[in-house]
Amino acid sequence: MWGDNVDLFLDSCIIISYHIPCHPHNKIVSDFYDTHNINSQTTCKRVEKEVNKKLREILEEFKNSGELSDSDIRKIRHAVRKFFRNIPVDDFSTLNTFLFNDLDIELEKVMKNSSDRAIFANAILWNLHYNPANPIFLTLDKKDYRNTWGIMLAVTNCLNNNGHNVNNLKKLIEIMIL
Amino acid sequence: MDKDLLLLMFCNVVNEVFGEDVKYVKNKTRYMKLFILTMDKLGEMLGYNEISIAYGWYKFGIFSFEAHDMFSRDIYYIDPIAPHLKIPQEFEDIQKTMKHIVKNLAGKFKMKWDDFDKFIHDELPDGEIKEFYRIVKKVNDAFDLLISDKITLSSIFNLGTSKVDALRKAIEHLENSIKFKYMAEDREEALYYYTDSLMLFLDNYNDNATCKEILKDMRKVFEDDILSIISPYPETLRGNEKKRKVELERCLEVINSKIEMLYNKIDSIENRHVEYFPTHDDLVDDIRKIEISEEVNSRILNILHK
């Protein structure tokens, strides 16, 4: 359905779940990586910050539980850091702050969480700027991305209102909820 | 008080107090440290804002970026110093006080390297700072012991494992003792990037030439980059209020660039020796094998869904 050679924009839950021994999430994300040909992947600074914050909490929990060895905890932390070292991470909102703010206002009608809006608006600007062949916003967040149709309509309206011809894009971003 | 004037007075005082022994103190490190300590005592007496310098505890003891620059200029090593400047009469009392301070410190500055080192890192600082230098020394000693080819009793009986454990313990001790106030998250993450890499390497450690090379590289990164990043300099700045702000800004800039260098250096060491460092794929495979209880699992899911 999604085809091969996907260009991914990763939500924070994906990166966290990929790196913690926490079924079923870890398995879902791992399976995705195992079964897809990934052409490129990226994320924004905001996601990196969110992941770091959650990771601290999770590692603290693991440490306190006494169930993981010191080496296991280091493996998790180092894997996440190395993951971020291996992919380009940018603040895409700086590409067009006006459009970014406009997207945020438009998305507010369909997405409650301000952090999610900022991340998704980053993904839209990434798509607009780099125009990858098969852009996919990858998330585990069923709750906030339930209304995919409404979200994409809000984005299309906003882009059109700002003079961006959506037809010029190879593809408008697709939201993929694992 | 004007900085050049303070310097002139200080240099005159040093020449006078040390006389022929001035050679002991006329190297950059000692000269700078004596200057800072003298200014600190003077500040105690006159008020810190009267002295135009700020300083804190850095990689190798008391330090000031500005003083470091000042003593990097040759002029202060040449006698007579800055002959065009005359000390105004009203400062004679201050110069007398300065002379008194330098006299009290002179003995320490004539000491041999080891004793001087002990004075700077162990006698001068108190509490947490002293502990910081002790822990850093422990890490350095543990590196040296593991790198050196000296055969010790423990290396015969434990085939080197105790030496690896000593380094592990020293690193853990370092991690547990660090508390940052400025750029806390960035500095902590950088430290962990280094210590995680080192500790995971130690899990694969063999007593061979390649591993010793890696250890030497890691030790160099510790001294060149980690120490700049984790030193309590921003947290311990003292002295002139305005200068404190300048020093803080300058230090944070250095920390920022050191953090970037650190990440690149670790990546480069890891990539050169993939046989001893786990790749991202290796780590992800290992993570999948970790088993956790239902109870912890549900607590983690709670954090994820928050």
Side-chain angles (χ1 to χ4, degrees):
Chain A
M1 174 188 177
W2 301 97
D4 264 348
N5 292 321
V6 288
D7 298 287
L8 302 176
F9 190 101
L10 307 169
D11 197 3
S12 37
C13 46
I14 296 286
I15 300 171
I16 288 277
S17 300
Y18 189 38
H19 293 101
I20 55 165
C22 185
H23 291 279
H25 291 76
N26 177 281
K27 185 157 169 34
I28 296 169
V29 180
S30 299
D31 286 349
F32 175 86
Y33 273 98
D34 289 343
T35 52
H36 284 75
N37 209 345
I38 291 145
N39 185 46
S40 74
Q41 49 181 343
T42 187
T43 193
C44 59
K45 293 262 184 219
R46 191 156 184 138
V47 162
E48 188 176 15
K49 234 180 147 182
E50 251 185 50
V51 169
N52 287 339
K53 194 167 167 272
K54 289 240 165 176
L55 187 69
R56 270 163 203 275
E57 284 180 54
I58 290 168
L59 292 180
E60 196 59 39
E61 189 65 56
F62 278 148
K63 221 184 245 178
N64 294 337
S65 80
E67 287 183 17
L68 276 76
S69 68
D70 177 68
S71 179
D72 285 340
I73 288 171
R74 290 185 192 281
K75 279 176 184 170
I76 295 170
R77 188 169 47 212
H78 207 52
V80 175
R81 291 255 58 84
K82 278 176 86 71
F83 185 80
F84 278 117
R85 298 284 299 158
N86 289 337
I87 66 166
V89 182
D90 216 333
D91 179 3
F92 298 99
S93 72
T94 58
L95 291 170
N96 188 338
T97 10
F98 184 79
L99 180 60
F100 180 81
N101 291 333
D102 227 27
L103 277 165
D104 186 58
I105 295 165
E106 203 61 45
L107 285 168
E108 206 175 344
K109 296 166 194 162
V110 278
M111 291 172 83
K112 280 198 188 104
N113 186 310
S114 67
S115 189
D116 286 343
R117 285 201 302 276
I119 291 166
F120 194 66
N122 258 283
I124 298 299
L125 283 164
W126 158 74
N127 185 31
L128 212 56
H129 190 76
Y130 294 98
N131 206 1
N134 196 7
I136 287 169
F137 179 80
L138 198 61
T139 184
L140 283 163
D141 191 349
K142 289 189 180 74
K143 207 167 77 236
D144 284 288
Y145 290 94
R146 197 187 302 137
N147 185 6
T148 331
W149 186 83
I151 293 171
M152 292 322 292
L153 188 70
V155 169
T156 316
N157 282 341
C158 184
L159 292 184
N160 283 332
N161 291 343
N162 279 280
H164 294 278
N165 190 345
V166 179
N167 294 331
N168 287 343
L169 287 171
K170 284 188 195 132
K171 200 172 172 187
L172 194 59
I173 200 163
E174 284 186 65
I175 300 169
M176 185 175 181
I177 308 165
L178 293 183
Chain B
M1 201 189 300
D2 179 65
K3 186 180 80 192
D4 285 338
L5 194 63
L6 267 180
L7 246 183
L8 174 69
M9 284 160 63
F10 171 75
C11 293
N12 285 347
V13 164
V14 169
N15 282 335
E16 208 185 319
V17 171
F18 280 81
E20 278 184 8
D21 287 340
V22 82
K23 60 178 184 288
Y24 288 111
V25 78
K26 290 257 171 133
N27 74 56
K28 199 164 82 186
T29 308
R30 289 197 188 199
Y31 216 12
M32 179 194 71
K33 289 195 193 306
L34 179 59
F35 177 70
I36 296 171
L37 292 178
T38 307
M39 291 305 123
D40 190 42
K41 277 269 170 244
L42 203 62
E44 219 171 79
M45 293 166 178
L46 307 175
Y48 288 109
N49 283 336
E50 290 302 312
I51 51 152
S52 50
I53 189 159
Y55 37 85
W57 296 100
Y58 198 45
K59 287 161 84 164
F60 309 115
I62 195 87
F63 182 81
S64 153
F65 283 94
E66 190 180 7
H68 184 262
D69 286 349
M70 278 156 49
F71 288 95
S72 296
R73 301 199 315 246
D74 289 342
I75 177 167
Y76 302 111
Y77 298 95
I78 303 162
D79 296 331
I81 298 143
H84 59 284
L85 277 172
K86 281 261 175 297
I87 297 162
Q89 205 143 25
E90 69 253 42
F91 292 123
E92 270 179 8
D93 277 354
I94 292 180
Q95 198 170 11
K96 260 188 208 156
T97 314
M98 215 187 258
K99 195 172 159 184
H100 185 71
I101 297 169
V102 172
K103 254 188 186 165
N104 277 338
L105 287 166
K108 303 286 184 190
F109 278 78
K110 287 182 199 170
M111 289 190 300
K112 289 214 176 79
W113 175 251
D114 279 355
D115 294 326
F116 182 69
D117 191 61
K118 201 164 175 281
F119 165 63
I120 291 292
H121 295 106
D122 207 46
E123 276 178 47
L124 266 182
D126 47 35
E128 284 180 18
I129 314 296
K130 193 200 286 258
E131 189 60 13
F132 170 76
Y133 289 120
R134 274 190 191 157
I135 293 167
V136 166
K137 191 177 179 306
K138 232 171 93 180
V139 173
N140 276 327
D141 289 350
F143 263 121
D144 287 344
L145 194 67
L146 198 51
I147 291 167
S148 83
D149 285 319
K150 263 190 239 153
I151 297 170
T152 60
L153 269 182
S154 66
S155 69
I156 294 167
F157 291 112
N158 299 318
L159 302 167
T161 46
S162 67
K163 289 204 253 174
V164 174
D165 281 347
L167 182 55
R168 275 206 189 96
K169 272 201 190 110
I171 292 290
E172 270 170 26
H173 199 165
L174 179 78
E175 287 176 334
N176 294 334
S177 70
I178 293 293
K179 274 183 238 114
F180 302 118
K181 190 174 152 202
Y182 295 92
M183 286 176 65
E185 288 176 7
D186 290 344
R187 287 162 84 190
E188 200 182 287
E189 272 161 24
L191 173 65
Y192 279 132
Y193 198 61
Y194 173 79
T195 56
D196 288 345
S197 180
L198 177 63
M199 294 289 240
L200 292 171
F201 159 69
L202 290 179
D203 288 347
N204 298 325
Y205 185 80
N206 275 323
D207 204 10
N208 63 30
T210 314
C211 283
K212 296 230 153 126
E213 276 313 306
I214 296 170
L215 273 182
K216 277 183 199 160
D217 287 346
M218 283 294 201
R219 191 196 196 286
K220 199 165 161 28
V221 173
F222 182 73
E223 203 156 288
D224 291 352
D225 307 288
I226 286 290
L227 282 186
S228 303
I229 296 166
I230 66 170
S231 288
Y233 192 74
E235 285 80 10
T236 58
L237 272 168
R238 279 156 65 95
N240 184 288
E241 208 182 319
K242 268 188 201 151
K243 295 280 183 175
R244 260 186 348 232
K245 282 184 191 145
V246 179
E247 289 286 323
L248 178 66
E249 228 167 81
R250 199 159 158 198
C251 178
L252 295 183
E253 246 172 62
V254 171
I255 289 177
N256 245 327
S257 72
K258 286 284 183 185
I259 286 177
E260 186 154 345
M261 271 190 249
L262 171 88
Y263 278 106
N264 290 333
K265 283 184 190 177
I266 295 297
D267 287 348
S268 141
I269 293 173
E270 288 194 0
N271 293 337
R272 259 185 286 138
H273 302 284
V274 280
E275 68 276 32
Y276 291 106
F277 291 93
T279 63
H280 178 260
D281 285 347
D282 295 337
L283 292 169
V284 168
D285 281 347
D286 282 356
I287 289 168
R288 279 185 218 176
K289 288 176 205 147
I290 299 170
E291 284 179 18
I292 51 173
S293 66
E294 277 302 316
E295 195 195 332
V296 173
N297 196 9
S298 72
R299 284 210 294 271
I300 299 298
L301 288 177
N302 276 343
I303 297 173
L304 279 175
H305 292 145
K306 233 180 357 193

